[in-house]
Amino acid sequence: MTGRSLVDIGANLTSGQFRRDLPQVLRRAKQAGVDNIVITGTSISDSRSALQLAKHHAASSDVALFTTVGVHPHDAKRFDERSTIDEMRSIITGEDGGLVVAVGECGLDFNRDYSPRDVQVTAFRAQVALACELRMPLFVHEREAHGALVEVLQTFVKSGTLPPMVVHCFTGDESEMRKYLDMGFYIGLTGFVCMKPRGLGVKNMVPRIPIDQLMIETDAPYMYPYSVGRQKKRARCEPKDIAAVVQTLASCYGITEDEVARTTTENARRFFRLRGQQVNEEKVALPAEAQSENQEIEGSIVLNGGDGEGGGQLLRVATALAAVMQRVVRVHSIRANRKAPGLRNQHLSTIELVAALSAGGKLSGARLNSTDLTFDARSALLTADSKVGAFNAASRTGGSISLMLQGALPVLAFRNSLAQLSLRGGTHVGFSPTIDFMQVPLRTLLARFGLAYNVEVSKRMFFPGGGPSGHVQVSVNPIDGEKTLQAIDLTESSTSVRRVFIRVTAFGSSANENMAEHYASALKLAVRNTFTGVGEDLVMEVECIVETTAATNQKKKTFRPHKPKERTAVSALVVLETATNGLISLDRTVNVNESTASILADQMNSKLSEYLQSGACVDEHLADNAVVLMALAQGTSRLRVPCKAQRTSQHLETALEIAGRLTGATYRLLEQETTAIIEVDGVGHHR
């Protein structure tokens, strides 16, 4: 059995071709790594059948089945604009509507013309309007009707109401593909891409499809990838045959099949809002030790650790809020969809710190590689009378201090006394925010909620890269007495920049002042040439820091960009404060062997410009960290955040979902073309 986790986003399992052996078909799909299948609904009756099929197999299949609800253009001739839409709405919002993940299959087919074209357009427009009303993704069919389809969609695009959309079973030409991608739509590819010579044109386009806008499907029982093996063209296609699509795409992109599987699965789960595998959780066999440790406690919040982002973000938010709200949380299937499932050293460091800060919280299952964890914080003593609390913690194997601090901050906000942390580990770790991010933009944003803290860096460490462990000291001022965090509103866009802050830190064996200044000058030039200030000039503050491990490097030296010594890194942070108080930040850490100052400046400047031009008021990383405080604050907080292909990041969506579960806060995610507005009705938590 493969270790991959795949999502087949479109299979016609209601077809009579599967009537006799569907259980065996699903079993073979699971063996091929398919964990989720979206059954395509093509008419009202077919959509009802698809939903019944998903329900029927929920208890007996290891593959989670979901459905779409819609009317295919072939069936549009039987479409009644009022009654059909009412029936679709009834199915989607009904008792079993949780299994419905998209509106469709709808669209236009001017190839076969089984329904009059004007009738197809009417049916399609009405279904798009329903998807907008219900804020559900669109699963769209198009054959030789590209222009007419785009014309219908443009009205919804201009109004900013169009939800995410995938062009199912794409078989068009390159100009059509480019138009769909430019409009932010996803492309769905089937076994057609494997067919020779029919699919050769689409296959040649694949490298020009951004993989984060790609999903895979079989369209079973159709679109059998007949170039694979010696099967005949008319062989029945099954969900298991999606493996051939993965294989072909991997060869087109020049990457591994696992990379294709991982990315397309993440795309599908984000697009359809699938919650991990969603299969019989009672079937998950835990080790005997874990079963005895993690007996379910009445009233506990149970989370699937493979859902959403499926990693450290889920664990940090869940344990921190459990401590604050004095709840019991159990997380099972931890990192189930990752290459190495279970708790890693980085996660353990944060979880253990949160438990220590809660002064009474009890952990079960907190050990390396554990896939099941329970944190009982009902006896947390955050409000006990005490003097200044001093805590020491160290990440294992050079893990990120910043991630530890992210887990600790919400807990420290509601302690009864000032807390001081001494944290050791990596200050600049790949795929994690730098300590500079924690010191400047995040500190600025959280202060607007009323949370004040200070970070002093005694020693930096770039990981991977080597050197002694980093050391950071943090002090956090708790929220006073009966006071609550304040709601914030950052939704007014502006491309005018009030203030720019740039920090460049050079550290390592050959770090020197000229090195830091060289990178800072490149950033200053790029920023000044791109952004418009409020008034005549752009207000800019630049800070250079040098930290070297070699005594001989204390003196100022001439920096030679192409011949630095090993283990020397440069970290750059740029923060833009807009005219409407928006905060856009970006940090990067590079080994000076691998990136020149001009390359780094151009890359950062391009990304910052993209954020600002999108209309976002905070960057995605600040938003990730703000969600917990939004849920705890008094009143409704609102943020305008960037989104791509009409979807926000999985980190953000995971934080929103978990925060809602743990605190009872409600949220709304209003996604548009390039930005989304997050609204969270906070619970007004206080000590």
Side-chain angles (χ1 to χ4, degrees), residues 327-391:
R327 304 289 300 271
V328 183
V329 64
R330 178 190 170 202
V331 185
H332 66 83
S333 307
I334 294 171
R335 303 176 73 249
N337 300 311
R338 300 299 178 92
K339 187 175 181 180
L343 291 170
R344 316 313 296 163
N345 283 315
Q346 173 69 68
H347 311 123
L348 285 169
S349 301
T350 303
I351 291 165
E352 290 168 353
L353 174 60
V354 168
L357 294 174
S358 70
K362 299 176 182 178
L363 283 171
S364 300
R367 59 182 176 277
L368 192 63
N369 300 322
S370 171
T371 59
D372 198 280
L373 173 81
T374 297
F375 180 38
D376 183 353
R378 290 175 298 176
S379 300
L381 301 175
L382 299 181
T383 59
D385 291 332
S386 60
K387 297 179 180 180
V388 174
F391 299 88

Side-chain angles (χ1 to χ4, degrees), residues 33 123 175-176 227 295 305 344 491 572:
S175 64
E176 294 169 352
S227 68
Q295 295 295 328
R344 316 313 296 163
T491 53

Side-chain angles (χ1 to χ4, degrees), residues 621-637:
H621 303 296
L622 285 172
D624 288 349
N625 285 271
V627 165
V628 170
L629 270 63
M630 293 169 78
L632 294 170
Q634 179 69 51
T636 300
S637 293

Side-chain angles (χ1 to χ4, degrees), residues 519-599:
Y519 278 82
S521 295
L523 282 166
K524 284 168 58 180
L525 180 63
V527 167
R528 196 174 293 281
N529 288 339
T530 302
F531 300 107
T532 304
V534 177
E536 295 183 358
D537 197 16
L538 192 64
V539 178
M540 191 177 301
E541 179 183 346
V542 181
E543 183 178 283
C544 291
I545 298 174
V546 179
E547 184 175 308
T548 178
T549 56
T552 56
N553 285 325
Q554 297 292 343
K555 296 180 180 179
K556 191 168 182 176
K557 295 183 177 181
T558 300
F559 174 54
R560 298 177 180 177
H562 301 295
K563 295 184 179 180
K565 295 181 180 180
E566 293 182 357
R567 292 187 175 181
T568 299
V570 166
S571 176
L573 169 73
V574 180
V575 184
L576 308 179
E577 183 179 346
T578 72
T580 52
N581 296 318
L583 278 175
I584 304 293
S585 69
L586 188 66
D587 57 355
R588 291 284 187 271
T589 302
V590 296
N591 189 313
V592 293
N593 282 311
E594 299 169 357
S595 181
T596 65
S598 59
I599 290 174

